[in-house]
Amino acid sequence: MGGVQLDSVSTAIATPNIALIKYCGKRNERLILPTNSSISMTLDEGLNSVTSVVFSKKLVSDQFYINGEKQDLNNKDIKERFAVMDMLRQIAHVDAHALVVSKNSFPTASGLASSASGICAMVKATSVALNIGQSPKDLSIIARQGSGSSCRSLFGGIVKWNRGKKEDGSDSFAEQVFNEQHWPDLVDIIAISSSSRKKVSSRSGMKQTVANGILYKSRLAYVEDAAKRLIEGIKNRDFEITGQIIMRDSNNMHATMLDTYPPIMYLNDVSKEVISAIHELNDTEGKIVAAYTFDAGPNAQIITTKKNKNKVMSSLKEINEIPNIITSAQGKGPRILGEDSSLINTKTLKPNK
Ligand code: PMV
């Protein structure tokens, strides 16, 4: 069993990422291979998932808790995500059962990418518990198979998930494009209007998009080039270019989703009000100072610079239906926490109260 320490808890913290060029479709459902490359910004620890993992011969089955609730490992969605644990166990040649306890500091499944930070933290903590010494790139290939977007949370700053071409997925990994120091002025303002679960999961939304979207084909024709242009824009710290590409890609993904049948609509009236408010702000400023983007949910995330943060806040304050605004700088990626952060009681092998 090499360096595996059974009965010893590892805990990791990871953060969500916001997609600036969206992942929206799979070329292989089982391996979670995307039909296009995507780019994201990793958020800071203001929003986070903390996950503790222990492997023990005393456990009679795998157990998985999120926010204090025991998850049903026979549920298809949960099972697919938890499959990364088997991949990691196989690498380590371990057959002991696992207890995984995870906590999100923000609403689960409301388009705020809790699956990205949750799976990233689980993979990171498990790699340490099993002492398998995988590189972040190797871990991104594993995390990708639990939830596509989670592979990008393994790195800080601006991250690219490469589409890859190989059938086995070995070239579809995430990598850092710029660390958080490259353009530290960039911030993300998250305007939460809804914390309810999304009606259509991103997984089934994407499946339908690939199956019957008409506009989807033109998305594929434009998106790789947009990713290159975005990297250039960020490289030059050019907000005019960066901001426009971010907004257009969000609009493009949501238009593509609306174009499938039956239509998928993640945006609501408040989302549309935010879109108008940001265009109004940019018009008043005579240049792009803020860019909205939406993942698979109605909550807007507005990328701006520290200098313009207050202007964005004032625009948002005029929209009554946004009770909660969170600001995040760029994060550094996941890290391992000390024993005092453990969510597991090692004596009872149960979640800590
Ligand atoms: O990784 P998933 O299955 O949660 O999909 C995420 C999809 C989007 O958030 C809509 C876009 C993205 O690239 O994160």
Side-chain angles (χ1 to χ4, degrees):
M1 252 179 233
V4 181
Q5 290 227 336
L6 294 181
D7 299 302
S8 129
V9 179
S10 298
T11 302
I13 182 167
T15 60
N17 64 79
I18 175 65
L20 309 177
I21 294 286
K22 311 288 183 192
Y23 143 58
C24 174
K26 299 179 182 59
R27 61 190 167 88
N28 180 319
E29 291 276 332
R30 190 178 56 85
L31 293 175
I32 309 200
L33 297 175
T35 47
N36 68 272
S37 304
S38 53
I39 298 189
S40 59
M41 175 173 135
T42 296
L43 304 186
D44 70 24
E45 290 181 0
L47 295 170
N48 65 65
S49 298
V50 173
T51 302
S52 292
V53 179
V54 64
F55 290 86
S56 176
K57 290 280 182 199
K58 291 178 213 144
L59 291 163
V60 291
S61 62
D62 286 337
Q63 290 171 45
F64 184 22
Y65 291 80
I66 302 178
N67 293 340
E69 258 178 57
K70 191 167 185 183
Q71 304 295 304
D72 176 5
L73 288 169
N74 293 316
N75 172 295
K76 191 173 167 285
D77 254 17
I78 307 285
K79 201 174 171 173
E80 281 173 7
R81 288 167 198 270
F82 203 76
V84 295
M85 295 300 290
D86 293 326
M87 292 173 206
L88 292 159
R89 258 192 289 235
Q90 236 172 36
I91 295 171
H93 305 293
V94 164
D95 56 8
H97 291 298
L99 167 62
V100 179
V101 181
S102 194
K103 258 190 192 154
N104 297 321
S105 73
F106 55 98
T108 301
S110 59
L112 282 183
S114 56
S115 69
S117 51
I119 288 174
C120 180
M122 180 164 84
V123 167
K124 178 83 183 170
T126 305
S127 73
V128 172
L130 295 178
N131 199 14
I132 52 176
Q134 303 286 92
S135 68
K137 175 183 159 183
D138 293 337
L139 291 181
S140 81
I141 290 179
I142 294 166
R144 185 199 76 213
Q145 295 172 70
S147 149
S149 58
S150 71
C151 74
R152 297 185 309 234
S153 278
L154 275 149
F155 298 87
I158 304 294
V159 182
K160 183 175 184 212
W161 171 15
N162 295 291
R163 175 193 183 277
K165 290 207 164 80
K166 292 188 184 160
E167 289 297 309
D168 68 357
S170 56
D171 57 352
S172 185
F173 55 86
E175 61 185 338
Q176 186 175 63
V177 188
F178 301 108
N179 71 24
E180 61 285 356
Q181 295 307 323
H182 169 71
W183 196 357
D185 264 0
L186 282 187
V187 289
D188 180 21
I189 299 174
I190 307 167
I192 304 183
S193 58
S194 158
S195 307
S196 55
R197 268 178 188 269
K198 49 200 174 197
K199 288 190 195 83
V200 183
S201 71
S202 43
R203 202 160 275 208
S204 62
M206 280 183 206
K207 201 168 175 179
Q208 184 177 311
T209 306
V210 175
N212 72 27
I214 302 166
L215 293 182
Y216 178 60
K217 293 173 189 74
S218 37
R219 172 164 177 78
L220 289 185
Y222 117 98
V223 72
E224 296 295 330
D225 182 58
K228 279 197 198 119
R229 285 186 287 117
L230 179 68
I231 290 175
E232 250 336 269
I234 296 175
K235 183 177 162 199
N236 299 325
R237 301 182 191 87
D238 182 335
F239 202 85
E240 192 69 25
I241 291 184
T242 301
Q244 186 172 143
I245 296 171
I246 292 172
M247 289 186 279
R248 295 198 69 156
D249 192 66
S250 174
N251 294 340
N252 184 282
M253 180 186 81
H254 289 279
T256 302
M257 293 258 179
L258 179 65
D259 163 68
T260 65
Y261 193 82
I264 298 166
M265 286 174 272
Y266 287 120
L267 306 187
N268 62 18
D269 287 348
V270 185
S271 324
K272 289 171 200 161
E273 274 190 64
V274 174
I275 292 176
S276 302
I278 297 300
H279 281 293
E280 232 171 77
L281 171 66
N282 289 336
D283 286 349
T284 311
E285 294 292 314
K287 58 181 187 219
I288 298 176
V289 296
Y292 53 79
T293 184
F294 301 82
D295 278 345
N299 295 319
Q301 304 208 31
I302 295 133
I303 310 296
T304 187
T305 50
K306 284 180 185 154
K307 184 171 105 195
N308 291 305
K309 189 183 139 187
N310 287 343
K311 288 179 190 155
V312 175
M313 291 298 227
S314 306
S315 297
L316 293 178
K317 290 228 165 79
E318 283 172 30
I319 304 171
N320 293 329
E321 300 87 342
I322 302 177
N324 197 354
I325 297 177
I326 301 167
T327 303
S328 173
Q330 290 170 74
K332 296 183 182 156
R335 64 190 173 94
I336 293 297
L337 299 177
E339 263 174 47
D340 49 348
S341 303
S342 170
L343 302 176
I344 292 176
N345 181 326
T346 28
K347 288 202 185 89
T348 57
L349 286 181
K350 295 244 177 318
N352 269 333
K353 287 277 172 248

